[in-house]
Amino acid sequence: MDRPAVGRTDRTRRVAGTVLALGTVSLITDVSSEMVSAILPLYLIAGLGLSPAVYGLIDGLYTGATALLRLVGGYVADRARRRKAVAGIGYGLSAFMKFALLAAGTSVPWLSAAIVADRAGKGLRTAPRDALITLSTPSESLGRAFGVHRAMDTAGAFAGPLVALAVLAASGQAYDAVFVVSGCVALIGVLVLVLFVRDQRGPRPPATTVSLPAAAALLRRRPIRMLLAAAVLLGLSTIGDGFVYLLLQRQENLATGWFPLLAVGTSLTYLTLAVPFGNLADRIGRAPVVLGGYAALLAVYVTLGSGFGGPVTVIVVLFLYGGYYAATDGVLMALAGPLLPAELRTTGLGLIQTGQALAYLVSSVLFGLAWQRWDGIGAIRATAVLAALTLTVAAVLLRSVRRVGDPVG
Amino acid sequence: MSVRRRVLLAASLTVVLLGAAVAYVVVAGHRANAPAAAASAVDAGPGDRVLFRSTAAAEYGRVGTVARGSEAGVRKLSGLDCDRVYAAAGRGICLRPDGPLATYQLAVLDAGLRVTDTYPLVGVPNRARVSPSGNVLAWTVFVTGDSYNGGRFSTRAGMLNVATGETVDSLELLSIIRDGQPYRAADVNFWGVTFVDDQHFYATMSTAGKRYLVSGDVAAQSVRTLAENVECPSLSPDRTRIAFKEALHGSPAKGWRLTVLDLSSMRRTPLAETRSVDDQAAWYDADTVMYGVRRGTRQSDVWAVPADGTGTPRLLIPDAESPAALGN
């Protein structure tokens, strides 16, 4: 048994209290937000009697603007050295929007404003939260820390729709009760953040270290540039859950009622694999695990494009898809963290997240166009080719990052 | 603050917040259990009555009728709950929840509002209609899953002929002629069927960002476009005009104007109702259309306005929506 010493200590090291606290905040917040996501279409269409066209308009408000907010939130958090405060504003904004949705009544502009503010809150809080995780965890066990955080986060997302169902059943189908409960739950999340998460403020850095030129200079560091390029490239090959499930549904002729269950299958796999994959990333290196995750995504596309059918295909696709999330979402942040200087870490993480989010927006639009042009199967085959290319180039880019980013491997 | 104090503070505030949440759920639950108005036998067969869905608190969702001429007066309520309802010639359609969340059912009703048959529907009920003979039922549901056009909405519209058992599961299966040319696209959506007879109908079709009035033929399995920017058509009793909602400046984001289209001249007449109406209108008689107007998250009223663009809207049935004139 000649295991490397670092690997062994990793497995016994306890996850930092701040990570557990942030995990708890994410868990509670995701219960709250997924409760609302689960019933929002029903509320708008069946409850308020809006026509589908108006629902489409409101739903389409998920824009690049909130992606850019991650970068803004990251920079402000670094600048003021107040990552917890910025994260808290993000969580708080989303919490109050649950009540605002109720107050908006049938006014489409107010409903839209509340939904946009909710998503802005999510954009604002993500980078500071991930920066707090990296700053409170020794770099050799970051994979595990992110794995634990993401598993807790997904557990919340999993429970949300079930809580919404319970509230609807207990209140005689009152949608307003779902919003009120969701708002109260979100406030508990903010409370846990305020009371139990510790900001990592450290000594005040010289005035020039956190400035716009310094932030721009991040891009002059070769590993960061390579990582950002790889993240954007990989982001270009992701097409979004809706498309994956839709293709699966078409291929298998599943009744639309099964749709939510597909997401449940993915979450369960994600939930189960997040911690093991985080540990694996700490042992064998984060870049190989991230690349492995995107290879799983490529396998999903190939399976969907192959025309194979049957229940086994559904299970394999959902397993690979959940595995892709578990191997990439948190692990990429664990890979990025140690590359970034502590005083600009939030900005750097925000930069990578924004790059990925914008790439994803582009790829969704492209996939929509490809779907119109070649139908679903043609579009997914084209995506598989694109994903194979981006994966190859990203693997080359990440080779140069590995030596710096991974203490082991 | 010590850890102990922080834990105590967190625990007590959590209890307060959860208590507030539970209290709200309990109150909301009791609100739904408000003493229900007594149900009686309701005649939904042909006659001088208007059928509707009540939105009054004590009878929320229940289907009832009022006498033509005194619509704001005494209402007869059934024990039936529906999200959308319509009836003609002694047969009704009721779209209602079936189990938790996104499953619904179509209930076929007889002239006494008794359920004679049910069919499962996946999606949120949006529109319902019955052909003048009472034989064919049409529905539109809203489906959230189809996100092929960037997470936007999708609808499914279908028909069921109770007399022959013939069904059209989704109008998307029919062949489409757009501006005289055969047309195929992945983003085609249909909603808001209105019947001419058991074989012929009008409906809305949307594709490539535009919404069209289409005329359909079930026997020929085809639909063809007739006009642009016509949503939720409703054919007049004499079959010469269509009441519909016209998107302002072609954009549903700006709201709608109730409008009547003359089918022989294709001339459009905006009606005196200037509020944005998001409903499939119904004809009260040959000269008047009626439609639901929302007044809050749950309340709605049925209003009426002359079909020739003159006059002013008037409140027809308070606390009601989904109207159907039972007429002949």
Side-chain angles (χ1 to χ4, degrees):
Chain A
M1 298 303 283
D2 208 48
R3 222 180 263 155
V6 183
R8 198 174 301 146
T9 44
D10 265 358
R11 289 158 69 80
T12 50
R13 180 174 283 127
R14 290 178 52 203
V15 173
T18 294
V19 173
L20 288 180
L22 282 168
T24 309
V25 174
S26 288
L27 190 155
I28 295 171
T29 305
D30 263 38
V31 168
S32 158
S33 63
E34 292 301 317
M35 279 177 76
V36 170
S37 302
I39 65 141
L40 197 59
L42 282 165
Y43 174 66
L44 295 176
I45 303 294
L48 297 189
L50 297 185
S51 70
V54 172
Y55 172 73
L57 285 169
I58 293 182
D59 199 49
L61 289 170
Y62 180 46
T63 55
T66 62
L68 286 174
L69 260 185
R70 297 182 178 210
L71 193 50
V72 175
Y75 180 71
V76 171
D78 277 340
R79 178 87 200 184
R81 294 189 308 140
R82 287 179 174 276
R83 297 175 188 95
K84 180 177 154 179
V86 173
I89 290 169
Y91 281 109
L93 192 59
S94 294
F96 282 110
M97 285 315 124
K98 307 297 186 291
F99 298 105
L101 268 177
L102 197 58
T106 55
S107 157
V108 172
W110 283 113
L111 285 169
S112 310
I115 290 167
V116 167
D118 182 21
R119 283 169 178 166
K122 190 174 171 59
L124 217 50
R125 74 193 178 224
T126 311
R129 179 199 67 199
D130 284 350
L132 283 173
I133 294 174
T134 66
L135 291 170
S136 61
T137 307
S139 82
E140 67 272 14
S141 51
L142 268 179
R144 179 180 172 79
F146 273 102
V148 169
H149 176 268
R150 294 303 197 261
M152 292 176 83
D153 187 276
T154 311
F158 195 73
L162 299 177
V163 177
L165 262 178
V167 170
L168 280 180
S171 65
Q173 304 288 310
Y175 297 109
D176 52 337
V178 176
F179 292 124
V180 170
V181 173
S182 166
C184 290
V185 170
L187 287 177
I188 295 173
V190 176
L191 191 66
V192 173
L193 178 88
V194 170
L195 289 175
F196 297 105
V197 172
R198 252 186 246 160
D199 212 341
Q200 303 284 326
R201 300 194 64 175
R204 175 177 284 275
T208 50
T209 48
V210 185
S211 61
L212 287 177
L218 279 179
L219 288 175
R220 279 206 290 278
R221 300 185 188 204
R222 195 179 137 81
I224 297 174
R225 208 166 57 231
M226 294 296 164
L227 179 62
L228 178 64
V232 168
L233 267 179
L234 293 171
L236 276 179
S237 68
T238 54
I239 56 170
D241 299 356
F243 286 123
V244 169
Y245 299 148
L246 184 63
L247 280 162
L248 207 52
Q249 184 223 1
R250 293 259 162 129
Q251 201 156 310
E252 305 297 330
N253 260 323
L254 294 174
T256 324
W258 290 87
F259 240 86
L261 281 187
L262 298 178
V264 167
T266 305
S267 309
L268 269 182
T269 319
Y270 184 8
L271 185 64
T272 321
L273 293 178
V275 178
F277 280 6
N279 281 330
L280 186 70
D282 287 340
R283 295 233 315 265
I284 67 163
R286 280 145 206 163
V289 172
V290 169
L291 291 170
Y294 279 96
L297 183 64
L298 176 60
V300 167
Y301 296 159
V302 170
T303 313
L304 289 174
S306 69
F308 285 126
V312 177
T313 310
V314 177
I315 291 166
V316 167
V317 165
L318 294 183
F319 185 77
L320 286 170
Y321 202 49
Y324 145 71
Y325 272 119
T328 56
D329 186 19
V331 180
L332 186 66
M333 292 300 114
L335 174 60
L339 297 179
L340 297 159
E343 68 275 10
L344 275 170
R345 194 159 289 176
T346 326
T347 310
L349 293 180
L351 184 68
I352 288 163
Q353 290 169 356
T354 301
Q356 273 213 311
L358 292 179
Y360 166 66
L361 274 178
V362 171
S363 68
S364 299
V365 171
L366 288 180
F367 190 83
L369 291 175
W371 184 297
Q372 302 276 353
R373 179 105 178 67
W374 297 310
D375 207 322
I377 290 282
I380 194 68
R381 285 179 181 162
T383 310
V385 172
L386 177 73
L389 278 173
T390 55
L391 184 60
T392 314
V393 180
V396 175
L397 291 174
L398 287 182
R399 271 175 69 91
S400 59
V401 175
R402 268 183 74 180
R403 246 155 266 134
V404 197
D406 284 312
V408 204
Chain B
M1 225 189 300
S2 70
V3 173
R4 200 184 129 78
R5 293 193 62 151
R6 275 184 288 152
V7 170
L8 267 175
L9 185 61
S12 49
L13 284 175
T14 299
V15 167
V16 170
L17 282 167
L18 285 181
V22 168
Y24 194 94
V25 170
V26 170
V27 170
H30 278 281
R31 180 184 63 202
N33 292 338
S40 55
V42 171
D43 182 0
D48 281 341
R49 290 177 300 273
V50 180
L51 183 79
F52 64 92
R53 170 188 194 253
S54 174
T55 64
E59 52 193 51
Y60 190 78
R62 307 263 290 276
V63 177
T65 59
V66 285
R68 204 177 253 282
S70 60
E71 285 83 3
V74 181
R75 36 172 87 191
K76 281 194 172 161
L77 280 180
S78 71
L80 182 74
D81 275 323
C82 302
D83 281 356
R84 270 266 161 189
V85 67
Y86 198 84
R91 180 151 305 112
I93 177 172
C94 163
L95 305 182
R96 60 181 186 177
D98 176 21
L101 287 188
T103 51
Y104 285 84
Q105 66 173 207
L106 182 167
V108 182
L109 311 173
D110 67 11
L113 292 180
R114 283 172 293 265
V115 175
T116 56
D117 214 343
T118 62
Y119 298 86
L121 290 178
V122 178
V124 185
N126 192 243
R127 307 285 181 233
R129 276 295 190 267
V130 179
S131 72
S133 69
N135 287 334
V136 191
L137 314 177
W139 65 90
T140 306
V141 293
F142 165 82
V143 185
T144 46
D146 285 10
S147 49
Y148 45 73
N149 46 7
R152 276 184 241 143
F153 75 96
S154 186
T155 58
R156 294 269 159 74
M159 291 180 199
L160 166 71
N161 188 323
V162 180
T164 64
E166 195 183 1
T167 60
V168 179
D169 288 331
S170 168
L171 297 187
E172 290 174 39
L173 302 172
L174 305 182
S175 57
I176 301 163
I177 316 273
R178 186 177 77 155
D179 303 330
Q181 302 293 319
Y183 181 77
R184 261 194 57 139
D187 69 344
V188 170
N189 268 299
F190 288 92
W191 65 87
V193 171
T194 184
F195 287 99
V196 180
D197 55 39
D198 289 358
Q199 293 292 328
H200 301 90
F201 63 91
Y202 294 97
T204 311
M205 177 181 92
S206 86
T207 183
K210 289 181 177 169
R211 294 157 312 285
Y212 298 88
L213 173 68
V214 294
S215 102
D217 184 331
V218 177
Q221 295 277 297
S222 73
V223 296
R224 60 175 61 240
T225 60
L226 295 180
E228 244 185 67
N229 196 17
V230 173
E231 271 179 80
C232 292
S234 179
L235 187 63
S236 64
D238 61 7
R239 300 174 195 181
T240 60
R241 289 156 296 157
I242 275 178
F244 67 101
K245 53 177 192 155
E246 180 173 80
L248 295 174
H249 308 290
S251 160
K254 300 195 171 90
W256 292 275
R257 179 71 182 262
L258 264 189
T259 305
V260 166
L261 175 75
D262 185 294
L263 284 169
S264 55
S265 67
M266 295 307 267
R267 225 170 62 86
R268 293 170 190 234
T269 309
L271 302 190
E273 173 61 81
T274 52
R275 287 173 291 185
S276 179
V277 173
D278 186 1
D279 192 20
Q280 183 173 23
W283 290 76
Y284 176 77
D285 55 29
D287 306 315
T288 314
V289 295
M290 55 185 175
Y291 46 91
V293 175
R294 288 263 160 182
R295 181 159 41 82
T297 53
R298 278 161 75 91
Q299 303 84 16
S300 169
D301 300 313
V302 171
W303 289 69
V305 70
D308 59 2
T310 64
T312 49
R314 68 186 167 96
L315 180 63
L316 189 69
I317 317 175
D319 292 312
E321 61 184 5
S322 209
L326 296 173
N328 49 31

